[in-house]
Amino acid sequence: MNDHQVHIDEHRDDEGAKTGMWIFIFTELLLFGGLFIAYSVYRYLNPLAFHLAAEELDTTLGTINTVILLVSSMTIAMSISAIQYKNKKLTLILMGVTLLLALAFMVNKYFEWSGKISHGIYPGSMTLQEASRGELLFFGLYYAMTGLHALHIVIGMAFIGYVMYLVVKNEVQHDNFVILENSGLYWHLVDLIWIFLFPLFYLIT
């Protein structure tokens, strides 16, 4: 081990990095937890309007996106195992597949949102202004919560892309992969949030 490696190891704090990520995940869960509570209250107060509004969503597309995220969670988890077995090539392939799946999710979301907007279903549109208060609340929450989730997807893609760069540069290896683990934890958070969003918006009919 050279002096440079010793210097890096002296300043590594793997447990601190993991703890920091768990704290961040906890704060994100609090954020979305508040939104889920708001959704539950408004749905309780407007059950029929929420039911009718949900019929405007594409359940098939939502299901496809659910499968995409579940598979992407598997591939990012497998990349962590691959790096532990010193298989750099497989690690990069699995991370690349994760990014491609994330991109596929975003493309599907783009077409879904485009379809709604083209039909005049978006916050501030004349269509929603003429709709019931419950429908207005439903689509307000839909755009806010799925939009915030999409933002987390983009951040996750940037995070995973950065870690891929570190793997290429051999700065993430079998004995130093905490940042890869953290990117995996973040991606599992993204997946978990969608697991709650999907039934709340797409399956309540």
Side-chain angles (χ1 to χ4, degrees), residues 4 15 25 37 43 131 176 189 193:
H4 176 68
E15 289 305 316
I25 287 175
I37 290 172
R43 178 182 172 185
N176 176 25
L189 167 69
I193 292 170

Side-chain angles (χ1 to χ4, degrees), residues 176-197:
N176 176 25
F177 56 90
V178 171
I179 192 170
L180 175 54
E181 281 188 310
N182 282 345
S183 69
L185 282 173
Y186 181 88
W187 198 250
H188 294 324
L189 167 69
V190 169
D191 187 20
L192 178 64
I193 292 170
W194 181 256
I195 292 301
F196 282 94
L197 289 175

Side-chain angles (χ1 to χ4, degrees), residues 29-45 50 141 145 196-197 200-201:
L29 290 175
L30 287 178
L31 169 63
F32 276 95
L35 292 171
F36 287 137
I37 290 172
Y39 171 93
S40 299
V41 171
Y42 286 130
R43 178 182 172 185
Y44 175 77
L45 296 174
F50 268 51
L141 287 168
M145 295 173 73
F196 282 94
L197 289 175
L200 288 179
F201 286 105

Side-chain angles (χ1 to χ4, degrees), residues 22 31 34 47 64 73 80 90 92 97 155 165 189:
W22 278 112
L31 169 63
I64 292 172
S73 270
I80 298 171
L90 182 58
L92 291 171
V97 170
I155 294 172
Y165 169 78
L189 167 69

Side-chain angles (χ1 to χ4, degrees), residues 76-94:
I76 195 67
M78 291 171 64
S79 73
I80 298 171
S81 297
I83 199 69
Q84 290 176 289
Y85 284 103
K86 305 180 183 181
N87 194 332
K88 176 180 174 180
K89 181 179 179 181
L90 182 58
T91 300
L92 291 171
I93 290 173
L94 289 167

